[in-house]
Amino acid sequence: MPNFGRGVLVALLLLIGAGRACAQEVFAIDQRFGEIDFRVSHLGLFDTTGHFARFHGDLTIDATAPEKSGIAVEIDAGSVEMPWANEVDLLRSPPYFDVVAHPAARFASTRIAADGPNRFLVAGSLDLRGVTQPMMLHAVLTGRHHDAQGDVADFIVTGAIRRSAFGMTTDQSFISDRVELIIHARVILTAAAHAQ
Amino acid sequence: MPNRVAAVWSRAQRRLHWWVAALILLGFAIAWPMVALPLTELLLKFLLYQAHKTIGLLVLALMLWRLLLRARRGRPPPLPGLPGWQLRAAAAGHAALYGLALAVPVLGYFVAATAPAQVPTLFLLVVNVPHIVGPDPAAFAALRLVHRAAAILLVVLAAGHAAMALRHHLHGRGELRAMWRG
């Protein structure tokens, strides 16, 4: 399971209010306010962006056993969305996300390290199309506020993968191998409904 | 359009006539495989679309140039000895050819701009021509039909125009030769 660097744990405990995080707590990532976007380049001439409409995830913080803390996200691969319906069909097909054989993509962190104030490096692994590869994400805490869900924290998480590493090798002449990820995540810090 | 009468078509006018004719035929020929190609042939499909868009923009620019030259230099007098109805039909046909050669590229630009798949219009594959309107599926569907119908009409009229030119040529008139060689 994932583990935090000690500094990160302190930062995250401060984030949620140290008094409450005396045992393992699980905080939901609220997909209603989140977005997982991906972007590819075409011949270096222009970019195309798509996103996943459905995903869910948890941020687990365990004050007593930091190594049990981490982030796990599951993405519904079939919820891929593009501006044009034909593009969606293409991306769901076997050469791309192959959503019938692999309906879900999963990310699980293995280590989270501080990378400056409100910045975190999240190392983990991505399981996509049945292939698991290591992946590094950069998370920035962009804001905290109190709203109808309670206390929430907004993050922008970025990273990049090479799609060929996951066996998605089709049409490399036109679609870049490098896929950038831009994730807007909102973590609900009010743990009442989510604590274990 | 002012019908200033010149002795002959100028060299620039003649060259522009043939360049536009060739580009229209090329753009028309590219259009069908470009649309029919599946998305699994993305690179080729993209290149054909960009070639088609580049040709359309060239046709538009060259047509505007032709209009300018025609306004400045005028045109030769109509063929002598033709009955009035043929002269009127020719004038209407030429006006329709000018109108369609201008309208089809403009319609094509708006088809590209309103398309749900947001692919930029890259003139000669490098110059990004901004889209002044955004994606609009309903407008796209309508514009696509009109663009295609107008393009088919343009090519049919151009074929009729060529057939008339050929007919005059076979009857010993010199217009086709004059348009080609001056």
Side-chain angles (χ1 to χ4, degrees):
Chain A
M1 244 323 250
N3 72 82
F4 287 114
R6 200 157 291 277
V8 179
L9 185 64
V10 170
L12 288 171
L13 289 177
L14 286 171
L15 183 69
I16 60 168
R20 290 214 323 266
C22 49
Q24 190 179 73
E25 288 193 88
V26 180
F27 304 94
I29 296 171
D30 188 343
Q31 70 149 7
R32 287 172 301 170
F33 300 94
E35 211 168 76
I36 298 182
D37 292 340
F38 55 89
R39 184 164 63 207
V40 292
S41 167
H42 303 290
L43 310 173
L45 294 173
F46 70 104
D47 296 342
T48 299
T49 302
H51 71 274
F52 293 97
R54 287 192 299 277
F55 60 91
H56 60 85
D58 293 315
L59 168 65
T60 305
I61 296 179
D62 192 322
T64 51
E67 71 282 358
K68 289 184 180 165
S69 301
I71 296 167
V73 178
E74 183 170 302
I75 301 164
D76 177 354
S79 75
V80 62
E81 287 187 346
M82 296 283 291
W84 189 31
N86 297 19
E87 294 169 309
V88 174
D89 293 341
L90 186 72
L91 286 185
R92 287 177 178 164
S93 68
Y96 291 89
F97 288 110
D98 196 6
V99 300
V100 174
H102 304 288
R106 291 178 190 86
F107 174 81
S109 68
T110 50
R111 181 179 162 75
I112 301 179
D115 188 32
N118 295 333
R119 303 174 74 89
F120 306 94
L121 273 174
V122 184
S125 60
L126 177 65
D127 176 357
L128 178 65
R129 299 176 90 252
V131 180
T132 304
Q133 292 282 339
M135 183 179 187
M136 181 69 85
L137 293 168
H138 300 261
V140 179
L141 173 67
T142 56
R144 279 194 62 185
H145 62 275
H146 188 82
D147 68 9
Q149 289 109 40
D151 266 334
V152 299
D154 290 320
F155 291 90
I156 294 179
V157 186
T158 54
I161 59 164
R162 301 186 77 80
R163 62 190 177 95
S164 58
F166 298 89
M168 198 191 289
T169 53
T170 190
D171 230 328
Q172 301 238 29
S173 57
F174 189 63
I175 302 171
S176 60
D177 190 26
R178 180 185 161 89
V179 182
E180 288 179 48
L181 293 165
I182 310 100
I183 302 159
H184 293 259
R186 169 166 290 185
V187 179
I188 303 170
L189 299 175
T190 306
H194 307 285
Q196 288 185 341
Chain B
M1 187 182 307
N3 263 332
R4 187 179 299 178
V5 177
V8 290
W9 293 110
S10 71
R11 178 185 284 192
Q13 284 174 305
R14 284 185 287 112
R15 287 189 171 171
L16 283 168
H17 167 269
W18 292 110
W19 272 111
V20 167
L23 286 170
I24 286 174
L25 286 180
L26 187 60
F28 191 76
I30 286 177
W32 308 96
M34 155 190 115
V35 170
L37 267 182
L39 282 178
T40 46
E41 299 287 340
L42 260 184
L43 178 62
L44 184 57
K45 197 174 174 75
F46 169 78
L47 292 175
L48 288 179
Y49 265 93
Q50 295 303 330
H52 182 83
K53 292 175 180 183
T54 295
I55 287 168
L57 291 168
L58 277 174
V59 166
L60 183 60
L62 295 184
M63 281 307 295
L64 292 173
W65 190 3
R66 286 180 74 182
L67 284 179
L68 184 73
L69 286 186
R70 180 147 174 183
R72 282 192 175 168
R73 299 180 184 176
R75 53 152 298 164
L79 295 187
L82 287 186
W85 72 268
Q86 282 191 18
L87 290 174
R88 285 192 295 279
H94 294 155
L97 280 169
Y98 273 94
L100 286 168
L102 288 163
V104 171
V106 172
L107 285 165
Y109 167 84
F110 283 103
V111 172
T114 55
Q118 277 301 283
V119 181
T121 297
L122 301 169
F123 182 70
L124 295 171
L125 215 54
V126 284
V127 182
N128 193 342
V129 179
H131 291 161
I132 57 170
V133 290
D136 181 339
F140 169 71
L143 283 164
R144 199 166 176 260
L145 279 179
V146 177
H147 174 61
R148 184 167 64 177
I152 291 171
L153 185 59
L154 171 59
V155 169
V156 168
L157 279 178
H161 174 74
M164 292 303 119
L166 207 57
R167 185 173 180 278
H168 289 312
H169 182 71
L170 294 176
H171 281 70
R173 297 178 187 271
E175 281 65 35
L176 184 57
R177 195 176 295 114
M179 186 51 103
W180 187 251
R181 290 203 304 231

